[in-house]
Each structure stands twice: as structure tokens, then as C-alpha cells.
């Protein structure tokens, strides 16, 4: 009986982590190039934007390299814009999905790690995270843009994709330079 109670408690507490479908959460869809469900796409896109904005706000406070700060400011500006666009699609009824109020656990974990760092350690982790987050976002938007089931959202994903690809390249270039290692 105690095992059943423990299992039920674990499932209840893990509920928010399972808000996405298993195939999207585990990365199976990405590996196979399968488009996410609309609900998963919206949750991932919104969570990604939240991470980009909040981690970049930290970068403005903690980074000392002006190129990193300029990149962070652009991430805040661009991802605030895409967050607004996604919210508009949902509010207009074009997309019948709720936008999450908080980041998904993987992004929350990355942000928590960044919050514990300063100096060159912060900058290195921030840039590594930016490369990884944009790689994931590019995959997500490419897959939904090709095979998503909501036409307006597919159009938005395809129109947003070039900016995400540009962000990924910028993050890779900055990460290669690792500006604060020199300090």
C-alpha cells in the first residue's frame, strides 16, 4: 500500500514536468524530425523565449564584455517581440492553446545554474546555453514550420526561423571567441 501512495505522490508532483508529450520531452521527435503537436510547440516556444529573456537580463548585469552585452540586449528585444507575437496568435483565437506562465523544467534548471555563476564562468555558461537553446529552437521551429497542424502558427514559425538561425550563429561566434577568458 505504501508503494502505491508513493507512486501516486510522485506522479502528482511530476505533473508539470509531464505537461509536454513524451516524444517531444525526450527529444525523440527532434531526432526523427517529426513536427511537435501544436500544444508542445507553443509550450516549448514560450519557455524558450522566457529563458532567452531572463538569462539575457542576467547577462546584462553580469557580463563585462560589450559584445556579450550587445548580444544579450538583442536577445531580450527579439524574444520579447516573438513572445508578443505568440501571445497575439493565442489571444486572437488563432491558436487554441494556453501559453505557460513559467518555463519548462529544463530551461528553469539552466537559468538556476546561471544565477549561481559570476565573471568568466557566467559568460562561458551563458554563451554555451545560448548556443544550445538556439539549436533547440531552430529544430523546433523548422519541424513545426514543415509539419505543424495550425497554418497560422506554421507561417509564424517559418517567418521567425531566420532570426533564430541568425541568433544561433551569433551565439556560436561569440562562444568561439569566449571574450571573458582573456580577462
Amino acid at each position: 500500500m505504501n508503494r502505491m501512495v508513493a507512486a501516486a505522490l510522485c506522479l502528482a508532483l511530476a505533473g508539470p514536468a509531464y505537461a509536454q508529450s513524451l516524444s517531444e520531452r525526450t527529444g525523440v521527435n527532434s531526432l526523427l524530425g517529426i513536427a511537435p503537436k501544436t500544444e508542445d510547440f507553443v509550450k516549448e516556444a514560450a519557455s524558450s523565449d522566457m529563458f532567452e529573456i531572463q538569462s539575457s537580463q542576467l547577462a546584462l548585469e553580469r557580463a563585462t564584455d560589450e559584445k556579450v552585452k550587445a548580444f544579450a540586449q538583442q536577445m531580450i528585444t527579439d524574444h520579447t517581440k516573438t513572445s508578443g507575437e505568440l501571445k497575439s496568435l493565442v489571444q486572437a483565437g488563432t491558436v487554441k492553446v494556453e501559453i505557460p506562465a513559467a518555463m519548462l523544467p529544463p530551461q528553469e534548471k539552466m537559468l538556476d545554474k546561471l544565477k549561481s555563476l559570476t565573471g568568466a564562468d557566467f559568460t562561458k555558461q551563458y554563451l554555451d546555453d545560448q548556443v544550445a537553446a538556439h539549436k533547440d529552437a531552430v529544430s523546433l521551429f523548422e519541424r513545426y514550420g514543415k509539419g505543424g497542424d495550425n497554418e497560422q502558427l506554421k507561417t509564424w514559425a517559418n517567418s521567425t526561423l531566420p532570426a533564430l538561425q541568425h541568433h544561433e550563429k551569433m551565439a556560436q561566434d561569440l562562444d568561439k571567441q569566449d571574450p571573458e577568458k582573456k580577462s
Side-chain angles (χ1 to χ4, degrees), residues 35-68:
K37 294 180 198 175
T38 296
E39 184 175 1
D40 287 343
F41 175 76
V42 169
K43 286 177 183 173
E44 285 282 337
S47 184
S48 178
D49 276 347
M50 285 183 239
F51 174 75
E52 293 297 335
I53 293 165
Q54 291 179 36
S55 65
S56 294
Q57 288 168 335
L58 273 176
L60 287 179
E61 295 170 14
R62 297 184 182 184
T64 57
D65 185 270
E66 289 307 313
K67 289 179 183 177
V68 173

Side-chain angles (χ1 to χ4, degrees), residues 115-146:
K115 288 177 181 177
S116 72
L117 301 172
T118 58
D121 292 336
F122 171 85
T123 300
K124 174 151 182 37
Q125 189 63 52
Y126 172 71
L127 293 173
D128 288 348
D129 288 350
Q130 290 300 309
V131 171
H134 282 96
K135 181 179 178 184
D136 290 347
V138 166
S139 169
L140 180 75
F141 277 67
E142 281 177 339
R143 290 181 292 118
Y144 196 86
K146 288 178 184 171

